[in-house]
Amino acid sequence: MAFYCIGAYTGQVPKEEFRKITVDFTEAFAKTLREHSQKTSFCFLSGQGADQKEKSSMQFARDKGAAENYLISLKFDRLYIFRPGYIYPVTPRKEPNFSHKLMRALYKPVLKWLYPNIGISSEELAKVMVNAGINGADKIIFENKALRAAITL
């Protein structure tokens, strides 16, 4: 079983580096894993808005969609793709930009209650991913709303 959660924030690295981290690293890891393990579960942390048509004007969406397409083509025994919206970091950290600072400040007291499907905490996301990886799931792609619904399972 593999949990693949490597990523970078859009705008924090050059576009070429973002694609390398998002697509190339994912492909290299998944290909090696698939070659050495015929029966495995692969849990991939993607993101809300991933575009499997790879036509989006947003690089994040195109690149996440490309990574998802590659994983699907490998035909893992079990593949789960998780597309959270905002991931509320439970552990304090230095936020990468102003929008993340704002989201962190507003998420728990306001946004979580007004827009319950806007995001998920890092702990809740981990719980859903581990549960699917260990116990299986009835779907491949978990959009943010499905992630929130699966928290109680």
Side-chain angles (χ1 to χ4, degrees), residues 33-99:
L33 178 66
R34 188 70 177 103
E35 287 172 355
H36 292 39
S37 180
Q38 295 303 308
K39 293 239 179 221
T40 193
S41 296
F42 195 102
C43 297
F44 179 63
L45 180 58
S46 187
Q48 189 172 30
D51 176 18
Q52 289 183 344
K53 293 180 182 175
E54 302 177 44
K55 302 282 186 202
S56 175
S57 60
M58 294 175 23
Q59 181 184 7
F60 168 86
R62 284 190 317 272
D63 289 351
K64 284 293 189 178
E68 289 181 7
N69 287 337
Y70 184 76
L71 293 173
I72 290 167
S73 77
L74 292 178
K75 300 190 183 320
F76 280 99
D77 195 42
R78 294 191 300 172
L79 171 66
Y80 304 110
I81 297 170
F82 303 91
R83 292 180 175 172
Y86 173 67
I87 302 171
Y88 176 76
V90 175
T91 304
R93 67 176 190 179
K94 182 181 183 297
E95 297 298 335
N97 55 44
F98 177 74
S99 65

Side-chain angles (χ1 to χ4, degrees), residues 4-5 9 43-50 58 60-61 64 68 80-89 100 103 107 116-126 128-129 140-149 151:
Y4 192 86
C5 303
Y9 289 109
C43 297
F44 179 63
L45 180 58
S46 187
Q48 189 172 30
M58 294 175 23
F60 168 86
K64 284 293 189 178
E68 289 181 7
Y80 304 110
I81 297 170
F82 303 91
R83 292 180 175 172
Y86 173 67
I87 302 171
Y88 176 76
H100 278 82
M103 283 295 288
Y107 181 72
N117 292 313
I118 198 170
I120 188 168
S121 78
S122 54
E123 288 179 349
E124 292 167 332
L125 177 59
V128 174
M129 290 179 72
I140 293 173
I141 297 176
F142 287 78
E143 297 288 352
N144 200 69
K145 188 173 183 178
L147 289 169
R148 303 265 324 133
I151 292 169

